[in-house]
Amino acid sequence: ESVDQANAKFLRETADALKNKLNDVVILLASVNGKKVTIVSAIAGKKTESISASDLAKHVAEQVGGKAGGKKDMAQGGGDKPEALQTALESVQSWLKDQLK
């Protein structure tokens, strides 16, 4: 989901709240503020056995001209190509399918 003009703290707090309410969930939040893209990913439950939040954030961040890092259950990143965000978000579903094979 893309949340325009939200800062990293807001995205982290939202991801944490969702992670605490939902079981076995993959969360990816992104925000555009000017030319800056901020990405937060979170994984909860059994999904952490096969998917890394850090890898997911890196997958999206690389497409928007940036980098990401973090832990298996929560990661953050960003980039400076907001025009590439929609395509990057659309690529997540197929990336997830590949990870779950």
Side-chain angles (χ1 to χ4, degrees):
E1 180 68 30
S2 177
V3 183
D4 289 340
Q5 298 183 355
N7 64 25
K9 181 180 178 190
F10 175 81
L11 294 180
R12 281 192 312 273
E13 290 172 352
T14 301
D16 261 341
L18 290 169
K19 196 168 88 164
N20 291 333
K21 288 186 179 207
L22 303 170
N23 293 324
D24 298 329
V25 67
V26 175
I27 300 163
L28 177 69
L29 301 174
S31 175
V32 174
N33 194 350
K35 284 293 222 176
K36 182 178 178 185
V37 178
T38 303
I39 299 159
V40 171
S41 63
I43 313 292
K46 292 182 182 180
K47 298 289 187 207
T48 57
E49 295 170 10
S50 54
I51 301 169
S52 164
S54 181
D55 290 345
L56 175 56
K58 287 176 187 174
H59 169 75
V60 175
E62 288 171 357
Q63 294 179 68
V64 295
K67 296 181 180 180
K71 299 179 181 179
K72 190 163 179 65
D73 67 332
M74 179 80 82
Q76 181 176 323
D80 58 5
K81 294 182 182 175
E83 65 277 4
L85 181 58
Q86 186 61 41
T87 301
L89 293 175
E90 290 169 1
S91 75
V92 169
Q93 189 171 11
S94 64
W95 182 88
L96 287 172
K97 286 180 184 177
D98 288 344
Q99 301 303 304
L100 295 171
K101 287 181 181 176

